[in-house]
Amino acid sequence: MDDKNFHQNLYRYLDGEMSPEEKNEFEAAMKDNPLSQSQLENEQRFDQVIRRHMIQEEAPYELRERIIDRLQHRSPFERLRETAWFAPLASGLITAFIAVIFFAVLAHTPREFTAFAQGIDTHIEHLHGTYQAEFLTDDIDAAVHWFDEKLDFAVIRPHIAPDKAKLIGARIIQINGRKAAYFMYDVQGHPLSAFVMDMNGEPLERIRDRMLRENDNARIYARNMKGFQAVLCYHRGNDTGCMLVTDMTQDELLPLMG
Amino acid sequence: MLVKRSQAHKKREYEEQLMACMDSMYNLGYRLTLNREDANDLVQEAAMRGYRFYDKFEPGTNFKGWILTILRNLFINQYRKRKREPSKVNYDDLENFIGAPDIGGATEEIFGEELQSAIDQLPEEMRTALTLFYVDGFAYKEIAAIMRCPIGTVMSRLYMAKHNLKKKLLATMQNEV
């Protein structure tokens, strides 16, 4: 038996953790080894010293009395906590409270203005062929009239000089979760998308830093993303907006708007 | 009426089992906190918590082990942070087995106090293992359940605790000489 094994077995033997077979085997090995026997005897004496000095004290009488008294006179809250339904009810209330706070914060958190990004993405999808015109026409009045009774706001003509851009067609699209009028144009080989939208409730204050111009009737905002230019003209009077998206530069686009 | 009677029965049953374990709880509480007042508070809190969760105790299983587990967990979660832990044992020299000093007769009295002080200076997990083994007489397996560790860890904690006690006592013997 090597040293490490011997010491491990020594303690297991002293602590009464050996099976009868292991105990017999250990005692047989010890019999022929006086040095190990002497070590065992020393360890046994040391063990007994520890046992003699680690005696169990009696718990104070006052402690017992105090505990019994507390068990007898538990507070109403302590009694409530012991009931089976307390934990699920408490968890439910806490969850409900957190949900209320969350939705209250959400309701008061200002929305982001996402129309620019959505308009540009829609224009890109149109370039890829995803969106085709539902109504093919080059007559802007016919196109505007086509939206009658299809949308719940008055669709205006997009702000594009008719002699500078060729109308191809129109369709309905979703911007900001609302239906918008989508006019598809070609400007000397440059595809151009024009979106006419109901701007009621849109957080225009969030894009204040993107405002180019302002007068009594309208404001113009611009944004450049993913290599495309988006220009939004907002009409205060009827709360509508017209957003143009194209790959032309701002300097090329603004003159088209008149 | 039926509900009230079963609550009363539950309380009586719990109290009986609790009082039978009070000495063990107090001893472990003192070994953990090293302070009698803190030990009283710890035992009291463990008793109240045990009653609160008594429905989770499986009748017929080891109540003493169960309530001592609650007490120790309470100490770890609430008291240990406040207490300054004794200096850690140097595990590097654990490789060298130290034979037990030859203590007997008159010298045992001298070492009695040294031994108490040496036990108090051990890290909590070793004090706990020693107390549960020598004072309460739990087997390795039962200690492992209370301390929520493998049996091998219980063995090494007891081994390390005794190793450290021997070191301190041998040092004392050399000083006496």
Side-chain angles (χ1 to χ4, degrees):
Chain A
M1 198 187 304
D2 62 46
D3 253 6
K4 191 175 174 187
N5 259 341
F6 169 72
H7 295 132
Q8 280 178 1
N9 285 327
L10 176 64
Y11 282 122
R12 285 182 63 228
Y13 177 78
L14 286 170
D15 294 346
E17 291 282 338
M18 280 186 164
S19 66
E21 296 76 27
E22 284 175 316
K23 207 171 151 189
N24 289 338
E25 209 181 293
F26 185 77
E27 283 170 353
M30 295 292 291
K31 220 172 168 181
D32 300 323
N33 194 330
L35 192 62
S36 298
Q37 275 193 12
S38 154
Q39 236 178 0
L40 173 64
E41 281 158 19
N42 272 346
E43 289 297 332
Q44 276 173 330
R45 274 200 291 272
F46 185 67
D47 214 56
Q48 282 156 17
V49 168
I50 298 179
R51 283 182 196 281
R52 278 198 286 275
H53 289 279
M54 284 198 81
I55 49 171
Q56 193 170 73
E57 285 183 44
E58 262 191 44
Y61 181 73
E62 297 75 25
L63 176 61
R64 292 174 190 267
E65 288 276 297
R66 216 193 318 165
I67 288 172
I68 290 175
D69 190 58
R70 266 202 73 183
L71 285 170
Q72 303 271 13
H73 300 106
R74 298 184 317 288
S75 69
F77 179 68
E78 280 174 326
R79 287 178 198 271
L80 189 69
R81 234 172 23 168
E82 290 156 16
T83 54
W85 47 263
F86 178 80
L89 180 66
S91 308
L93 285 173
I94 289 167
T95 305
F97 178 72
I98 291 169
V100 163
I101 300 290
F102 175 74
F103 285 111
V105 166
L106 203 63
H108 286 93
T109 302
R111 281 170 46 216
E112 289 296 323
F113 184 81
T114 58
F116 279 135
Q118 288 190 35
I120 287 170
D121 283 343
T122 303
H123 179 72
I124 293 172
E125 288 298 314
H126 166 60
L127 294 178
H128 290 152
T130 306
Y131 297 121
Q132 306 285 336
E134 287 170 357
F135 177 58
L136 287 167
T137 182
D138 60 0
D139 182 342
I140 187 61
D141 290 325
V144 169
H145 187 64
W146 182 79
F147 287 106
D148 287 348
E149 295 177 20
K150 289 189 178 69
L151 297 177
D152 56 5
F153 65 96
V155 175
I156 56 171
R157 282 179 165 208
H159 296 293
I160 295 185
D163 58 328
K164 291 181 182 160
K166 183 176 176 327
L167 180 65
I168 297 166
R171 64 170 291 141
I172 294 172
I173 203 76
Q174 291 264 350
I175 300 277
N176 277 352
R178 288 193 261 197
K179 285 184 184 173
Y182 182 9
F183 299 87
M184 296 161 185
Y185 285 91
D186 181 275
V187 180
Q188 292 166 359
H190 292 276
L192 184 145
S193 296
F195 305 98
V196 177
M197 310 172 283
D198 177 4
M199 300 295 288
N200 181 28
E202 289 299 323
L204 287 170
E205 67 281 0
R206 304 283 280 179
I207 54 168
R208 186 162 278 281
D209 58 327
R210 300 202 178 274
M211 190 161 62
L212 294 179
R213 283 169 215 172
E214 185 178 16
N215 63 28
D216 291 339
N217 300 318
R219 286 190 217 131
I220 295 181
Y221 303 86
R223 180 88 198 263
N224 190 296
M225 270 175 77
K226 300 181 184 178
F228 293 92
Q229 187 69 39
V231 173
L232 170 70
C233 181
Y234 166 67
H235 295 270
R236 289 186 228 246
N238 55 14
D239 221 0
T240 53
C242 172
M243 179 168 60
L244 307 181
V245 180
T246 178
D247 60 349
M248 291 187 282
T249 64
Q250 208 177 91
D251 289 341
E252 290 169 330
L253 179 57
L254 287 173
L256 291 179
M257 294 175 76
Chain B
M1 187 67 168
L2 265 174
V3 169
K4 272 195 175 165
R5 199 185 308 145
S6 88
Q7 282 290 337
H9 172 75
K10 170 192 162 184
K11 194 167 78 63
R12 203 167 37 243
E13 189 183 84
Y14 177 75
E15 265 178 32
E16 272 173 25
Q17 294 190 91
L18 185 72
M19 288 302 129
C21 301
M22 194 55 55
D23 292 341
S24 293
M25 288 174 76
Y26 177 73
N27 278 269
L28 182 59
Y30 176 65
R31 284 289 168 204
L32 289 171
T33 60
L34 303 176
N35 175 288
R36 299 208 184 272
E37 268 186 44
D38 285 348
N40 286 343
D41 290 343
L42 180 61
V43 170
Q44 196 175 309
E45 268 194 66
M48 296 311 290
R49 181 166 288 207
Y51 184 68
R52 197 170 134 208
F53 294 108
Y54 189 52
D55 288 333
K56 297 199 188 321
F57 171 71
E58 271 184 60
T61 59
N62 185 351
F63 179 86
K64 194 200 272 191
W66 180 78
I67 197 73
L68 290 179
T69 305
I70 290 176
L71 185 138
R72 182 168 181 260
N73 288 342
L74 209 51
F75 169 76
I76 288 168
N77 293 332
Q78 291 184 15
Y79 284 77
R80 189 156 70 173
K81 288 170 197 150
R82 295 191 236 146
K83 288 277 173 190
R84 196 168 57 84
E85 269 290 289
S87 54
K88 297 288 177 192
V89 168
N90 182 2
Y91 294 141
D92 289 339
D93 56 8
L94 203 57
E95 292 291 316
N96 307 312
F97 176 77
I98 298 176
D102 191 3
I103 304 172
T107 55
E108 193 180 316
E109 278 306 308
I110 300 165
F111 291 123
E113 262 188 51
E114 295 289 337
L115 186 66
Q116 290 290 358
S117 164
I119 292 170
D120 289 349
Q121 285 173 53
L122 291 172
E124 174 272 317
E125 61 271 13
M126 290 187 202
R127 296 200 305 274
T128 301
L130 276 183
T131 305
L132 293 173
F133 182 75
Y134 284 107
V135 177
D136 290 295
F138 284 117
Y140 289 174
K141 190 176 162 188
E142 290 168 315
I143 297 172
I146 292 168
M147 296 185 76
R148 298 198 173 163
C149 65
I151 291 177
T153 304
V154 172
M155 287 173 64
S156 68
R157 282 174 182 172
L158 286 171
Y159 178 73
M160 284 185 225
K162 284 195 256 194
H163 175 90
N164 205 44
L165 293 178
K166 285 178 204 172
K167 262 182 75 176
K168 287 199 191 297
L169 294 183
L170 279 170
T172 305
M173 278 174 81
Q174 279 159 12
N175 287 341
E176 292 290 316
V177 166

